Amino acid sequence: MAPSMFNCFVIGYRTSSKPILNGLLKLWIKVLFITLIFALVQTSTPASSIQQQSIQKRAGLPLVPTDSTDDHCNKTVDIYVDIQSPPLTRLNRFRPLTCWYRFKSIRGVPKEWVLRLTFKKFKVGTLVNSTYCDGGYLQIVDGNSKTDVSNRREPGMFCGEAEQPQTFISETSYVKVVFHTDNFTDQTYFAFDSRAETEVYLRYGQHPELYPNRRGEIVQGSYCEREFRDCRLQTCYVQSPAFPGIYPRALKCRYRLHTRQPFIKLYLQNEQFAVDGQRCENLITCPMKEIGSGPEQCPYDWLAVHDGRDENAPVIGQFCGMGKFPFSIIGTSQHMYVEFVSSPAGPLLNTGFHFNVGNWPGYVEPAGIKNGECDWLLSSNALKLTSASEGIFLSVAHWYPPNTSCNYHIQGVENEIVRLYFPSFRINRIEAPIVKAEGDCAESLTIYDAEYPDPSRVIKTFCDTFSKPMEKVDFVSTGRSMFVKFVSRTGSYSGSSLYYWGHYDFFNNTKFGSGVPNTLCDEIFYAWEHPHGILRSPLNTLIYKRVASTSDVRCQYKFVNDKRAFARVVIEMISISFKESPYTVSPCTRCHEERVDKIIIWEEKNKTQHRLACFCDNIPRPVRIISSDNQMNLEMMVLGQYATQHYFKYPNTLFTANYEFVHPPLCGDITLGPKADGELVFPHKNAFGLPLTGTPQKNVKCIWELKVSAQRDLWLSIDKAKFGIYGSCEIGKIEVYLAGRLEPRFIVCPENATMAKDLPILSAAELGALDNINDDPLPVIIQYTGDNRFPGKSAFRLVWTELFHLPRNADGTLTSGTQMLRSPCDFVCPGNPTICLPKHLLCNGIVNCPNASKTNNNDQRSMESIITNIEETLQTYGIFNLKNVHLLNDESPEICRHSHIENDYEYDEYANVKWALVVAGSCFVVVMFIAVLYKMCKKRTKSQ
């Protein structure tokens, strides 16, 4: 075709003007030559350049950008400008291509701006085994030598395909993007735009000016190593670099976290976790990877959390995957160490993580000794050091591995019991198990009534799958210890699924006697176990809380004795301190009938309750109650409707009393009289042949009731008294009490033994006989207390006599002598004409008339009364021996010689009167003679 055209051109040339043709031909040849040279220059590449690129590729080094004059590559570009991969031409097709882009700042933009790159489309190279890029890559260099942070030394590579737009948000204001492909085709492309931002809300949160170190303090010379101090809620953000955009490759980030209070908590709030969750965009061939844990599941990109200050601390977990992070991670202290690693090459996907840092709220350190990770000894002594009334321990709030067992040994001192209750208790699903467990009770809490997990003494077990929580229910031990055991087969990253707030306290469960099983507070006092001691209201005030408001608190104390050991029980009420009911204003007047807090004392006789005493008010002084048998009962009753309000954890005792079993066989019968005379001998002669029961007592105490006939005086005389081998009243003493009196009427002991035979007469008025003429007076209480360490060394003989009153006139004066003799008395005691004896007491070997000097006659000191008594006595008995008048009694030889009582001889009343008149007259003459003589001698003395 060309030769023919050329021939035509020549023929034409020949046929036309020759000069014109020559000029056109020269012009055409020049144009054709210039075009050919330009094409050759554009399509040719030096052999040395091709050889250099081949060497770099084999060495694995990044290719050196080619010298290109195309406007789409290797340039500094403005922000807000769209950038695309170079157009595919026949000159660059199937050829290596490297492009870089830098972004220059805009005038007026602050220095703290960051760059947001949005990749609208991306397909570069192929990711092989998630470790390196084959055929091409994209690098994003964030920062340079002048910025605080930079990843320019190891920028890593992005490759693969992103079918949806992806965003990268820089950490600095300097960004460089490097694009390379070994074989540029229409299957390799990218396109992105850029814009500057000064505030990234998702990165810095609200009010970033208030928290300049919210993202931590950067470690100098690193790209993503940061330290966080004193983190509190919403003050510390732990983020992947470039968050909330895709994170760079080839990262090794370290975060050191610290909070003011334990336990440190790393958690997400409605955020997504995307660390190596996708290795490609195609969900069919490369689906999303669920969040997993461990090196096997996370070999490329991963986040590791250490429970401590550095990488040497225990690893809580190593995580990767994509989705909603289902748990928070809680450490056991104030420190946590986090590592984030991304592989050298990866897809342009995965937006990383954003965690908040805080501490677990409401943490309270138990008052006890910690053994291991979560084993505690919680003792009452440790609790007392805190001055708190209750101790607290909480459910496991931090992470723990599978098959974790936490033990709480709550231990009181001797005679204490433990109460445990839960003001707050929740049972949730296990939200963050480390391993999955099948079946029921993956986590459980068991309470034991023992000091170790004894399966035979389980109080209650709580299970995560079927149990219901129990709040404000008291679990009470029977002994000094309670054991609580938490077991988890699954482990947890964020604490137990059984959330509980346990309160424990201790109560003094001291028993003064022997506890009665299956009762709230009843006790029995056996004489052979507890012969004497102190008795109080229950020290365990928990009993006032454990009864329903409709039921009263009743504590019964029963005193039981073997009659062969003791015959009586004595209770001395020391104090009573009941609180007043808010709805009762009137005083307690009918103790037995009224519904009030009270103490009742009774004894059973013939299966009938015999009331001894009742107390419903405070007592001003001690009161003693003595049983008439070998058993007695005391019952404390507290109204249930006020029991918890008034007495739960009430520091004072409601009552205090002393008790003792008294009157052993050495004492003999407990009741004496009433009869005209009698004697009490200690020790009792029949007691030495009885077998000994119980433990021998150091002291022996006897209490006798001496009943006196109505309208009779009582005279006691103690003969032949021995009080051990010492001379102190503490060794032995005899006390005589009148009815209703707290203090003894008189006491006889070694220190005043001389008064044993001259005790004062107890008149009928003192005995209470005159208060009610129709009833017998209350008995006189005679008590002996002596040292029993030397049996047989203490002994005495007490004689009593009932004295008759002679008749009196209406005005209270004695009747005349004639009327006296007509009285039923047979013998008028010398020295006291108001007292007489029956006939059978005369000359019986026992002195039954008290000494005249100890009579209660008020006019005994007058001369006239002495003379009158002497005259009456002499006239009655015909005795005229003046020397023996002051020694006369019912056993005097003179009386016994004239009485002839043994032969029932009747006295000559007139003879006695005669003798009495003679004696009285003689006495009168003698007295007058002495008086006249005394006066005469006195006058003679004065005259001299």
Side-chain angles (χ1 to χ4, degrees):
M1 191 70 184
S4 60
M5 292 178 64
F6 183 78
N7 292 331
C8 291
F9 178 76
V10 172
I11 293 172
Y13 176 75
R14 290 177 179 176
T15 56
S16 62
S17 160
K18 188 175 182 179
I20 296 174
L21 291 174
N22 290 334
L24 291 173
L25 180 60
K26 292 179 180 179
L27 179 62
W28 173 256
I29 292 172
K30 289 181 180 180
V31 171
L32 183 61
F33 180 76
I34 293 172
T35 302
L36 180 61
I37 293 175
F38 182 80
L40 291 175
V41 172
Q42 292 294 324
T43 57
S44 63
T45 302
S48 60
S49 177
I50 296 175
Q51 185 178 5
Q52 181 181 0
Q53 290 183 6
S54 177
I55 294 173
Q56 291 176 349
K57 183 176 180 180
R58 287 195 302 269
L61 299 175
L63 298 179
V64 178
T66 58
D67 296 331
S68 175
T69 59
D70 194 291
D71 291 338
H72 293 282
C73 277
N74 306 332
K75 62 182 180 180
T76 300
V77 296
D78 293 328
I79 302 174
Y80 303 104
V81 174
D82 292 342
I83 300 174
Q84 295 183 359
S85 54
L88 182 65
T89 66
R90 65 176 181 170
L91 298 178
N92 59 18
R93 183 189 299 271
F94 305 122
R95 294 178 179 274
L97 179 63
T98 300
C99 295
W100 56 263
Y101 305 91
R102 290 189 180 96
F103 299 88
K104 63 181 179 181
S105 61
I106 303 176
R107 183 177 299 174
V109 176
K111 294 182 179 180
E112 291 79 12
W113 63 277
V114 296
L115 192 66
R116 178 187 289 267
L117 303 179
T118 302
F119 291 86
K120 301 176 181 178
K121 57 181 181 179
F122 176 82
K123 188 175 182 181
V124 178
T126 303
L127 184 62
V128 179
N129 295 330
S130 301
T131 57
Y132 69 95
C133 293
D134 182 45
Y137 59 84
L138 176 72
Q139 287 182 325
I140 302 177
V141 180
D142 187 4
N144 58 17
S145 59
K146 297 180 180 180
T147 59
D148 293 336
V149 299
S150 176
N151 69 336
R152 61 190 178 89
R153 290 189 177 89
E154 295 182 89
M157 302 178 184
F158 293 99
C159 54
E161 180 181 8
E163 297 178 353
Q164 297 179 354
Q166 301 294 336
T167 301
F168 175 85
I169 303 176
S170 68
E171 295 283 347
T172 69
S173 59
Y174 177 87
V175 176
K176 178 182 179 181
V177 177
V178 179
F179 166 78
H180 172 78
T181 178
D182 293 346
N183 185 16
F184 189 40
T185 66
D186 57 355
Q187 297 300 313
T188 300
Y189 51 82
F190 62 89
F192 62 92
D193 60 16
S194 62
R195 62 187 177 93
E197 292 188 1
T198 57
E199 293 185 3
V200 183
Y201 173 75
L202 293 178
R203 176 177 293 180
Y204 298 101
Q206 295 179 341
H207 308 294
E209 67 279 358
L210 300 178
Y211 308 102
N213 295 320
R214 176 174 272 172
R215 300 184 73 217
E217 299 178 17
I218 192 71
V219 176
Q220 193 68 28
S222 68
Y223 178 63
C224 56
E225 184 173 351
R226 298 175 181 266
E227 291 191 3
F228 298 81
R229 297 184 179 91
D230 296 336
C231 289
R232 291 169 292 170
L233 186 64
Q234 300 297 331
T235 62
C236 293
Y237 291 166
V238 180
Q239 300 170 340
S240 55
F243 183 85
I246 56 176
Y247 53 80
R249 312 306 309 176
L251 292 176
K252 292 183 180 179
C253 303
R254 293 178 290 184
Y255 308 87
R256 291 177 174 86
L257 315 180
H258 171 263
T259 56
R260 295 183 179 181
Q261 298 292 333
F263 302 111
I264 188 170
K265 183 177 183 181
L266 186 69
Y267 64 98
L268 293 101
Q269 288 183 330
N270 301 322
E271 299 287 346
Q272 296 294 321
F273 182 84
V275 174
D276 201 29
Q278 288 180 283
R279 304 303 292 183
C280 63
E281 189 78 16
N282 194 328
L283 296 181
I284 298 178
T285 60
C286 184
M288 285 192 310
K289 180 181 180 181
E290 294 184 356
I291 294 178
S293 177
E296 295 181 357
Q297 298 188 35
C298 304
Y300 308 118
D301 300 354
W302 45 265
L303 177 80
V305 182
H306 295 257
D307 187 17
R309 297 176 180 268
D310 51 36
E311 63 274 9
N312 297 320
V315 178
I316 298 177
Q318 180 177 326
F319 308 100
C320 64
M322 186 173 183
K324 187 176 180 180
F325 207 65
F327 45 83
S328 60
I329 301 175
I330 303 176
T332 60
S333 67
Q334 299 169 257
H335 299 273
M336 187 175 287
Y337 180 81
V338 177
E339 288 183 283
F340 174 54
V341 173
S342 63
S343 60
L348 193 68
L349 301 169
N350 299 308
T351 55
F353 54 86
H354 170 97
F355 286 99
N356 289 339
V357 182
N359 63 284
W360 190 75
Y363 171 71
V364 178
E365 183 79 10
I369 301 174
K370 187 177 183 180
N371 300 314
E373 292 297 328
C374 58
D375 292 346
W376 287 87
L377 174 61
L378 309 175
S379 65
S380 62
N381 290 330
L383 183 60
K384 290 175 183 177
L385 296 177
T386 65
S387 300
S389 61
E390 295 183 359
I392 299 174
F393 69 93
L394 309 178
S395 54
V396 184
H398 54 78
W399 81 281
Y400 48 88
N403 301 316
T404 291
S405 175
C406 295
N407 303 316
Y408 304 91
H409 182 192
I410 310 173
Q411 184 182 66
V413 298
E414 195 66 30
N415 293 324
E416 282 187 335
I417 60 173
V418 183
R419 177 184 69 137
L420 172 66
Y421 71 97
F422 301 99
S424 179
F425 203 128
R426 295 195 306 268
I427 299 179
N428 305 319
R429 294 174 52 194
I430 303 178
E431 296 182 354
I434 296 178
V435 297
K436 294 183 178 180
E438 298 180 357
D440 292 329
C441 288
E443 292 189 339
S444 62
L445 182 75
T446 305
I447 304 172
Y448 300 89
D449 184 15
E451 61 182 357
Y452 65 95
D454 186 351
S456 64
R457 304 189 67 181
V458 174
I459 299 177
K460 180 68 178 179
T461 296
F462 297 95
C463 179
D464 67 307
T465 53
F466 56 78
S467 294
K468 293 183 178 181
M470 300 182 69
E471 296 184 356
K472 300 179 181 179
V473 176
D474 292 337
F475 301 98
V476 183
S477 68
T478 57
R480 62 181 291 197
S481 292
M482 181 179 288
F483 199 90
V484 182
K485 188 178 187 68
F486 169 76
V487 176
S488 173
R489 294 188 288 118
T490 63
S492 174
Y493 292 114
S494 58
S496 170
S497 63
L498 304 176
Y499 172 81
Y500 48 85
W501 186 284
H503 282 221
Y504 64 91
D505 47 9
F506 302 90
F507 293 87
N508 190 342
N509 198 40
T510 300
K511 301 291 184 182
F512 301 97
S514 301
V516 180
N518 302 320
T519 62
L520 191 65
C521 50
D522 292 357
E523 298 181 36
I524 296 182
F525 297 82
Y526 295 105
W528 51 90
E529 294 179 357
H530 310 281
H532 60 85
I534 191 171
L535 173 64
R536 295 177 181 173
S537 58
L539 303 180
N540 176 18
T541 61
L542 185 60
I543 66 171
Y544 304 113
K545 185 177 182 294
R546 299 184 68 183
V547 297
S549 59
T550 56
S551 302
D552 295 335
V553 180
R554 292 180 177 269
C555 299
Q556 187 176 123
Y557 306 88
K558 190 172 185 178
F559 300 86
V560 180
N561 176 37
D562 187 345
K563 289 185 177 181
R564 297 175 299 173
F566 298 99
R568 286 182 180 275
V569 184
V570 179
I571 295 179
E572 186 179 21
M573 299 300 302
I574 304 299
S575 64
I576 299 175
S577 58
F578 289 123
K579 286 189 175 182
E580 296 182 0
S581 172
Y583 304 102
T584 302
V585 295
S586 59
C588 175
T589 56
R590 295 178 294 110
C591 181
H592 285 286
E593 290 77 17
E594 292 186 39
R595 275 192 53 77
V596 293
D597 299 344
K598 57 187 174 182
I599 293 174
I600 305 171
I601 301 177
W602 80 93
E603 60 184 354
E604 292 185 3
K605 289 185 177 181
N606 300 323
K607 299 182 179 180
T608 302
Q609 187 180 99
H610 177 63
R611 297 174 178 175
L612 298 179
C614 183
F615 304 92
C616 53
D617 288 325
N618 298 341
I619 56 177
R621 61 181 65 186
V623 178
R624 190 169 67 161
I625 300 95
I626 305 173
S627 71
S628 61
D629 203 349
N630 63 327
Q631 294 189 10
M632 188 159 56
N633 298 276
L634 182 148
E635 183 176 25
M636 183 192 73
M637 186 186 78
V638 174
L639 299 182
Q641 56 186 334
Y642 308 118
T644 303
Q645 175 185 355
H646 282 176
Y647 303 121
F648 178 58
K649 292 194 174 181
Y650 183 56
N652 301 331
T653 54
L654 304 192
F655 75 88
T656 303
N658 295 325
Y659 75 91
E660 62 178 330
F661 292 89
V662 299
H663 211 89
L666 289 174
C667 304
D669 296 334
I670 63 175
T671 304
L672 307 173
K675 60 180 182 178
D677 71 321
E679 65 179 8
L680 171 62
V681 178
F682 176 85
H684 192 263
K685 60 181 179 180
N686 296 329
F688 295 101
L690 296 177
L692 295 176
T693 58
T695 304
Q697 300 299 306
K698 177 181 178 181
N699 294 324
V700 59
K701 180 176 287 188
C702 303
I703 299 179
W704 297 275
E705 291 183 8
L706 177 56
K707 297 182 178 180
V708 183
S709 301
Q711 305 302 316
R712 297 290 185 266
D713 292 341
L714 179 67
W715 182 60
L716 300 174
S717 176
I718 300 175
D719 186 23
K720 300 179 181 179
K722 295 191 303 180
F723 298 102
I725 60 176
Y726 305 102
S728 171
C729 287
E730 299 297 327
I731 302 304
K733 60 182 176 180
I734 301 172
E735 299 171 280
V736 177
Y737 294 84
L738 301 181
R741 304 292 180 86
L742 299 177
E743 300 297 329
R745 178 65 174 79
F746 49 80
I747 301 174
V748 178
C749 65
E751 297 177 3
N752 62 353
T754 55
M755 66 172 293
K757 294 184 179 181
D758 298 323
L759 298 177
I761 299 171
L762 303 177
S763 65
E766 286 185 280
L767 299 176
L770 301 181
D771 298 335
N772 192 347
I773 300 178
N774 298 323
D775 295 335
D776 292 334
L778 295 175
V780 175
I781 303 300
I782 302 173
Q783 177 176 302
Y784 167 72
T785 305
D787 193 336
N788 195 36
R789 291 178 296 177
F790 305 98
K793 296 297 182 180
S794 297
F796 63 87
R797 178 172 174 263
L798 184 145
V799 178
W800 80 86
T801 303
E802 292 183 353
L803 304 176
F804 288 81
H805 284 275
L806 292 177
R808 295 177 179 270
N809 298 321
D811 58 356
T813 60
L814 295 175
T815 57
S816 63
T818 303
Q819 292 174 328
M820 286 172 53
L821 297 175
R822 295 195 182 102
S823 70
C825 288
D826 300 315
F827 179 76
V828 178
C829 288
N832 194 336
T834 64
I835 299 175
C836 64
L837 302 175
K839 184 193 314 182
H840 68 276
L841 296 183
L842 297 176
C843 303
N844 59 354
I846 300 173
V847 177
N848 297 109
C849 279
N851 193 315
S853 63
K854 296 294 181 179
T855 61
N856 292 333
N857 193 357
N858 294 327
D859 59 351
Q860 69 179 39
R861 295 183 180 180
S862 65
M863 183 68 69
E864 293 78 4
S865 62
I866 295 175
I867 296 173
T868 303
N869 291 341
I870 294 173
E871 290 178 348
E872 292 177 352
T873 302
L874 295 178
Q875 290 176 1
T876 303
Y877 300 105
I879 300 174
F880 298 97
N881 188 353
L882 295 178
K883 295 181 181 181
N884 295 328
V885 169
H886 65 286
L887 299 176
L888 290 177
N889 55 46
D890 56 307
E891 298 299 317
S892 297
E894 295 86 349
I895 296 177
C896 293
R897 197 166 44 242
H898 292 82
S899 62
H900 304 287
I901 296 175
E902 295 179 359
N903 298 322
D904 293 330
Y905 177 79
E906 296 293 337
Y907 290 106
D908 183 0
E909 294 180 353
Y910 296 99
N912 291 336
V913 172
K914 293 177 180 178
W915 282 104
L917 292 175
V918 172
V919 172
S922 301
C923 291
F924 178 76
V925 173
V926 172
V927 170
M928 293 300 296
F929 176 77
I930 293 173
V932 172
L933 184 61
Y934 175 77
K935 289 182 180 182
M936 292 177 62
C937 293
K938 191 174 183 181
K939 290 180 179 180
R940 182 177 179 86
T941 303
K942 288 181 179 182
S943 63
Q944 289 177 353

